[in-house]
């Protein structure tokens, strides 16, 4: 899931205070799990902003709302008309949601971020989130015992640990496990340690963000959708 | 206790919006502790009186006075 953290309140206030009618817009998927931007957090943030506005004597209308996802168009539809009545949308969705809604509104209303989108992670225990995937577009977890050296090694090393490994910990922080220590231990258990003797060539980072914005197109689904839309248009059932 | 931790969290939020966290308190007691409950209420009322009116109330009053003057 995508993990994020609410921006500092003063930073949010500086973004919002110049507007008259603001909607704090939550997303109830990933960012709700990390208690940063779901409907509940959006409501709480709206309430805090109202308190600040009151104290500063500003005439500011601040509402909140939430939908299940900010990354698929159909989830926005029920609130489309309501959203258009505001002069700022403070989105507490991840950066994907902010971009997607801003594109959807096409410059009619500004969309500002209420959270800092941090990483792709898991929830090993309630209230604790760890980064486990860098979304690099070229997965090598089959070679490293299911442990990603791209994000779990502080230096993203591809061929074993650096000199900073210390009793299983990373030199960057004693709280951080050395990913390569974990990889070696895991591969010993899996009986596949010999795979590590194969030297990995310099990595092609063009599949990561270094190659520009990435897209995945499933042609069979797009062709099917186009056909369905064509049929609906012919029968007069189109949108 | 989860509720107690949540109260501590809400106190941090109140501080961020300029409200003294001392305006919020959580007390533990059983339904059979009537006299203690009365004491707690008195203590809390004293505390709030010492803190004075809430900044939100003051701002509201200022706004309504301004409205009256403008009319």
């Amino acid at each position: 899931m995508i993990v994020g953290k609410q921006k500092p309140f003063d930073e949010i206030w500086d973004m919002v205070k110049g507007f008259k009618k603001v909607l704090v817009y939550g997303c109830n998927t990933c960012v709700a799990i990390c208690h940063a931007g779901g409907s509940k957090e959006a409501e709480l943030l709206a309430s805090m902003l109202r308190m600040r506005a009151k104290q500063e004597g500003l005439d500011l209308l601040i509402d909140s709302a939430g939908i299940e996802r900010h990354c698929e168009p159909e989830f926005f539809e029920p609130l489309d008309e309501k959203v258009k009545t505001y002069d700022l949308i403070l989105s507490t969705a991840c950066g994907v949601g902010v971009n997607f809604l801003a594109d959807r509104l096409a410059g009619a209303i500004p969309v500002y971020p209420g959270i800092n989108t941090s990483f792709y992670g898991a929830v090993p225990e309630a209230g604790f989130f760890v980064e486990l995937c860098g979304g690099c577009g070229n997965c090598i977890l089959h070679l490293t015992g299911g442990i990603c050296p791209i994000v779990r090694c502080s230096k993203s090393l591809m061929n074993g640990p650096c000199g900073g490994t210390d009793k299983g910990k990373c030199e960057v922080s004693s709280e951080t496990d050395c990913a390569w220590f974990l990889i070696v231990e895991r591969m010993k258990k899996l009986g596949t340690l010999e795979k590590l003797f194969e030297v990995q060539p310099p990595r092609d980072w063009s599949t990561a963000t270094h190659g520009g914005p990435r897209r995945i197109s499933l042609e069979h689904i797009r062709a099917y959708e186009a056909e369905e839309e064509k049929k609906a248009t012919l029968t007069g059932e189109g949108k | 206790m989860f509720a107690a931790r949540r109260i501590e969290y809400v106190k941090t939020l109140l501080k961020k919006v300029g409200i003294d966290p001392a305006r919020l308190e959580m007390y533990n007691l059983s339904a059979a502790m009537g006299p203690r409950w009365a004491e707690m209420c008195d203590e809390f009322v004293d505390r709030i009186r010492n803190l004075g009116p809430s900044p939100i109330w003051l701002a509201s009053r200022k706004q309504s006075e301004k409205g009256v003057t403008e009319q």
Side-chain angles (χ1 to χ4, degrees):
Chain A
M1 63 180 239
I2 294 176
V3 179
K5 192 177 177 195
Q6 198 172 90
K7 281 182 171 289
F9 183 71
D10 287 340
E11 187 183 338
I12 295 176
W13 175 247
D14 283 342
M15 288 184 202
V16 163
K17 66 185 177 190
F19 292 87
K20 289 281 175 207
K21 204 175 170 199
V22 178
L23 178 68
V24 185
Y25 204 1
C27 175
N28 288 323
T29 311
C30 312
V31 291
I33 304 297
C34 58
H35 308 276
S39 290
K40 267 200 294 188
E41 290 76 25
E43 206 175 329
L44 199 58
L45 181 57
S47 176
M48 290 170 71
L49 289 167
R50 282 193 292 268
M51 285 186 190
R52 175 65 80 88
K54 190 75 156 176
Q55 289 180 79
E56 301 210 359
L58 293 177
D59 188 18
L60 200 59
L61 177 84
I62 302 164
D63 291 331
S64 69
I67 54 171
E68 288 314 297
R69 282 187 206 173
H70 277 233
C71 51
E72 288 187 67
E74 54 266 43
F75 291 93
F76 284 115
E77 284 166 11
L79 289 186
D80 265 350
E81 290 310 308
K82 180 183 164 84
V83 164
K84 286 175 189 160
T85 64
Y86 291 89
D87 56 21
L88 172 70
I89 308 299
L90 177 68
S91 170
T92 58
C94 67
V96 173
V98 176
N99 272 269
F100 200 50
L101 180 57
D103 285 352
R104 189 175 174 82
L105 295 172
I109 307 163
V111 184
Y112 289 177
I115 72 168
N116 289 324
T117 306
S118 307
F119 53 81
Y120 307 139
V123 197
E125 59 189 82
F128 183 57
F129 307 91
V130 288
E131 183 172 24
L132 294 180
C133 172
C136 69
N138 186 9
C139 192
I140 47 133
L141 287 167
H142 58 299
L143 302 173
T144 57
I147 294 162
C148 177
I150 305 289
V151 288
R152 294 176 73 178
C153 167
S154 303
K155 295 176 182 171
S156 300
L157 296 179
M158 296 298 295
N159 284 292
C162 67
T165 185
D166 182 18
K167 298 184 187 76
K169 295 292 176 188
C170 173
E171 67 177 341
V172 168
S173 159
S174 58
E175 287 178 9
T176 303
D177 291 325
C178 168
W180 275 102
F181 177 84
L182 296 177
I183 290 169
V184 169
E185 291 301 309
R186 174 76 53 81
M187 292 187 77
K188 269 189 211 166
K189 279 190 185 162
L190 291 167
T192 55
L193 195 60
E194 75 284 353
K195 275 192 184 177
L196 293 181
F197 288 106
E198 201 174 306
V199 175
Q200 296 303 314
R203 196 172 162 81
D204 174 8
W205 288 101
S206 66
T207 57
T209 50
H210 307 62
R214 295 169 286 179
R215 291 179 185 86
I216 294 173
S217 179
L218 300 180
E219 297 308 327
H220 62 296
I221 292 177
R222 297 183 76 184
Y224 174 79
E225 288 291 324
E227 257 173 50
E228 289 297 302
E229 204 167 308
K230 202 172 165 186
K231 271 189 222 164
T233 310
L234 288 173
T235 57
E237 292 168 4
K239 285 175 191 171
Chain B
M1 199 188 339
F2 191 53
R5 288 194 206 112
R6 290 182 96 168
I7 294 292
E8 287 309 309
Y9 175 64
V10 173
K11 284 185 175 207
T12 66
L13 299 182
L14 288 174
K15 204 172 172 188
K16 284 182 190 174
V17 290
I19 294 176
D20 193 330
R23 292 181 179 278
L24 175 70
E25 204 53 78
M26 178 171 163
Y27 295 99
N28 288 318
L29 76 169
S30 84
M33 296 165 74
R36 176 68 191 124
W37 171 238
E39 273 174 30
M40 285 170 175
C41 291
D42 287 342
E43 278 167 25
F44 195 69
V45 168
D46 285 345
R47 184 198 290 188
I48 297 299
R49 284 214 172 103
N50 287 333
L51 287 169
S54 102
I56 302 279
W57 184 86
L58 284 173
S60 296
R61 197 176 69 165
K62 202 173 162 188
Q63 266 180 337
S64 58
E65 280 172 3
K66 200 178 156 194
V68 170
T69 317
E70 278 169 6
Q71 277 169 12

